Amino acid sequence: MIAKISSGKSTTGLIRYLFDTKKAKDHADPHLVASWDGFAPDPGRAEDSDALRKLLVADLDLHVNQARRLGRAPEQHVWHCSIRAAETDRILSDDDWADIARRVVAATGIAPDDDPDGCRWVAVRHAPDHIHIAATKVRADLRTARHWNDYLTADRELAAIEKEYGLRHVVRGDRTAAKRPTRAETEKATRTGRQRTAREHLRSTARTMVAIAITPEEFLHLLSHTEGVLTEVQYFPSGGIRGYKIALEGDTNAAGQPIWFSGSTLAPDLSFPQVRERLTATAPQATPQTGDRHRPNPWHQASAAAERIPHHLDQADDPAAQAHLAAFGEALDALPLIAPAAIRPQLRQAADAFKRATRSRIHADHHHASALRGAVRAMLRQPTTGDGTGLAMFLDAAVLVVMAAIRWHDLRHHDQQVIAARQTLNHLQAAYQHAAAAPLALLAQHRPPAHTITRHAQHIRAYAPEHAEEILTGPHWASLAAALTNAEAAGHTPERLLQQAVDERALDDARSPAQVLAWRIHRLTQRPVPSARARAAQARTTTGATRTTEPVHSELPAPPRADPTKAANQRR
């Protein structure tokens, strides 16, 4: 059920509308189903409906007129609440709707239970699927009703009613969403030929600057130097930064003045205190020296950090999990700046959709997500390879992150966030398929010899038995085999890398386990090859762990026995 609440000045106008059967085509049988005392006149079931409408208005306005003579009546004295059932819900009886109306006016403070001085109200049903509650806000003691947050309290009551009546559960928000553009803003954007409203454009710009900036001061500096954006920084008397507001150049009011938006009006997490908290929680990354042969690849770092997010979401630390989701949202905001033009629209849509999934009532402990933030900033500042491998690798990890985010929000009944994450998943999967096609095809061209493929297949059956058949018979086995061969050519032990890649995260969520493993192997291959001493220590560890296990093949040491507790955690 959905409630819509508004205020007005005319009781007569509202009652006329509710009982109108000429202009409103869906008003087939308007009649009262409930009222403040159960004895209110019903114009819908009377021969002289006009006379009863006037009588009903007079009864409803009784206390309003008394308060007006004392100068205590509110200007907006009419309270109007429409309640509509879902199309798939059963048809409720008049008695059902009467019970619902009584519960809503009690919950909102219009007519609390056991309060003889509550406001006067009526519930009118003029269509099968909804009712209207018309009330006047002046109580019998001539005080104005205390109905603050009436939409929220009505929504909570309707959620309980849905459960008790067996009706469809409506997705509800948690009041953390960014404010939508108004109708006037949307019409203005259409008139001026803009694809987005000024509010949406500025919100997207601010988010991008958060993803780029290292410090709060740099965030404000970047905003002030963004073309087409006006920025004004506000200061405390002590000289400290209080906040900021931005405007779109050319977007003015009737007086020709810029229309300003503070960060908090763009989105709750774009207020300056929130931005400062996020940026100060991320320590600046050390800049590698030019020519450093082992300089870390920021794409690999970002992919590794993203792949750890599902594990963090499985833990019991909700503030840390919320921080990782916020940081991942910033990474999605940054991707369109450095991605090929062909997939930028999908990436922008993914970033826009995931914004809702980064906010909830859980306060984020942002220092937990510094690794991903640091890697994203490095991606934006350092040149990357142009073969598209890094982007495809990150998007592959990002798909698994969004799947994990859907589960995390769903367990906490964050309904709107679940919907947003599912929309994000569709856009990310489309972007990944486009980005990964060329790198995977190039990798598959380097087909290893038959005996090498057979050896890699034995490794797959040993270390990923649950997914072995899907991997070996799927279309991307050639790419994974090539990645293992490249790792071996670089001096790595392929079976050890495979075991490490499998242990990083369960593959149950992956649409293609072979692709996930290929990217993980590729990333792990970039690490320095272990020294001879390290390999000897690893060999002793592996020998000790497999001494009691019969080997699968004479050339292949059996994998160590899995810890059942760890395996269960990986599959959650």
Side-chain angles (χ1 to χ4, degrees), residues 443 446-459 477 479-498 518 521-530 535 555-557:
L443 190 62
H446 304 284
R447 185 176 179 83
H451 68 277
T452 303
I453 293 179
T454 300
R455 180 159 49 86
H456 292 330
Q458 292 171 349
H459 296 161
W477 163 232
S479 300
L480 175 55
L484 289 167
T485 302
N486 292 343
E488 190 171 27
H492 293 277
T493 305
E495 57 266 34
R496 296 193 188 283
L497 288 188
L498 180 61
I521 294 295
H522 177 81
R523 173 170 53 79
L524 294 172
T525 301
Q526 310 307 311
R527 297 180 178 178
V529 178
R535 289 198 299 271
E555 298 181 8
L556 176 66

Side-chain angles (χ1 to χ4, degrees), residues 38 47 60 95 97 107 116-117 165 194 226 257 279 290 319 371 402 486 501 509 515 529 554 570:
E47 294 183 2
L60 287 171
D95 289 340
W97 281 117
D117 292 330
Y165 278 78
R194 295 193 183 103
T226 300
Q257 300 297 320
L279 294 181
T290 304
V402 176
N486 292 343
D509 290 338
Q515 290 188 52
V529 178
S554 58
Q570 288 179 335

Side-chain angles (χ1 to χ4, degrees), residues 304-321:
E307 285 189 339
R308 290 192 291 270
I309 292 178
H311 170 74
H312 295 309
L313 298 185
D314 283 343
Q315 307 307 306
D317 190 345
D318 281 1

Side-chain angles (χ1 to χ4, degrees), residues 6-74:
S6 60
S7 296
K9 299 180 180 179
S10 174
T11 309
T12 300
L14 177 57
I15 295 300
R16 182 189 301 118
Y17 164 74
L18 295 181
F19 286 95
D20 175 54
T21 57
K22 296 179 180 179
K23 295 182 180 179
K25 296 181 180 180
D26 63 336
H27 295 189
D29 179 26
H31 60 280
L32 293 186
V33 295
S35 66
W36 73 94
D37 62 357
F39 299 103
D42 185 358
R45 297 290 172 87
E47 294 183 2
D48 191 355
S49 59
D50 291 340
L52 278 190
R53 275 203 302 268
K54 294 178 182 179
L55 183 59
L56 178 58
V57 170
D59 287 351
L60 287 171
D61 277 346
L62 175 63
H63 301 314
V64 176
N65 292 330
Q66 291 173 336
R68 184 174 290 125
R69 287 195 292 270
L70 300 175
R72 295 162 55 180

Side-chain angles (χ1 to χ4, degrees), residues 217 233-243 272 276:
E217 293 74 19
V233 181
Q234 300 156 330
Y235 296 91
F236 288 111
S238 60
I241 298 175
R242 179 181 181 181
F272 186 72
R276 180 171 52 200

Side-chain angles (χ1 to χ4, degrees), residues 111-125:
D113 289 332
D114 301 323
D115 183 356
D117 292 330
C119 298
R120 294 192 166 195
W121 61 273
V122 293
V124 181
R125 183 182 188 183

Side-chain angles (χ1 to χ4, degrees), residues 245-479:
K245 58 182 181 179
I246 54 179
L248 191 63
E249 193 173 294
D251 183 42
T252 58
N253 56 22
Q257 300 297 320
I259 299 177
W260 295 97
F261 295 86
S262 66
S264 59
T265 60
L266 293 175
D269 55 347
L270 287 178
S271 68
F272 186 72
Q274 290 274 3
V275 171
R276 180 171 52 200
E277 180 183 356
R278 292 164 77 167
L279 294 181
T280 53
T282 305
Q285 301 293 305
T287 304
Q289 296 297 321
T290 304
D292 184 356
R293 187 166 54 91
H294 299 302
R295 180 172 60 184
N297 186 314
W299 287 101
H300 295 168
Q301 289 180 308
S303 299
E307 285 189 339
R308 290 192 291 270
I309 292 178
H311 170 74
H312 295 309
L313 298 185
D314 283 343
Q315 307 307 306
D317 190 345
D318 281 1
Q322 184 66 56
H324 285 289
L325 292 178
F328 179 72
E330 293 173 21
L332 294 184
D333 289 330
L335 282 183
L337 300 176
I338 48 181
I343 62 172
R344 285 176 192 167
Q346 289 285 6
L347 292 178
R348 287 195 187 100
Q349 289 175 303
D352 288 342
F354 199 74
K355 288 178 178 61
R356 186 68 189 91
T358 63
R359 294 189 298 270
S360 74
R361 284 290 181 182
I362 299 171
H363 182 75
D365 193 355
H366 288 292
H367 77 274
H368 286 283
S370 59
L372 179 57
R373 283 197 176 93
V376 170
R377 284 152 178 72
M379 286 193 313
L380 293 167
R381 285 171 164 76
Q382 297 180 23
T384 57
T385 56
D387 59 2
T389 300
L391 176 61
M393 184 191 314
F394 181 81
L395 291 178
D396 176 70
V399 168
L400 296 183
V401 172
V402 176
M403 290 180 178
I406 292 173
R407 289 196 305 271
W408 189 81
H409 282 304
D410 190 44
L411 288 173
R412 287 151 185 81
H413 306 290
H414 299 165
D415 297 331
Q416 289 192 345
Q417 289 86 339
V418 169
I419 293 174
R422 286 174 177 162
Q423 294 171 345
T424 304
L425 185 61
N426 294 331
H427 296 304
L428 273 185
Q429 287 174 335
Y432 168 75
Q433 294 299 331
H434 190 284
L440 285 174
L442 182 63
L443 190 62
Q445 289 178 2
H446 304 284
R447 185 176 179 83
H451 68 277
T452 303
I453 293 179
T454 300
R455 180 159 49 86
H456 292 330
Q458 292 171 349
H459 296 161
I460 294 295
R461 292 190 176 95
Y463 291 98
E466 296 178 357
H467 303 278
E469 290 307 313
E470 180 182 0
I471 292 172
L472 297 176
T473 60
H476 301 291
W477 163 232
S479 300

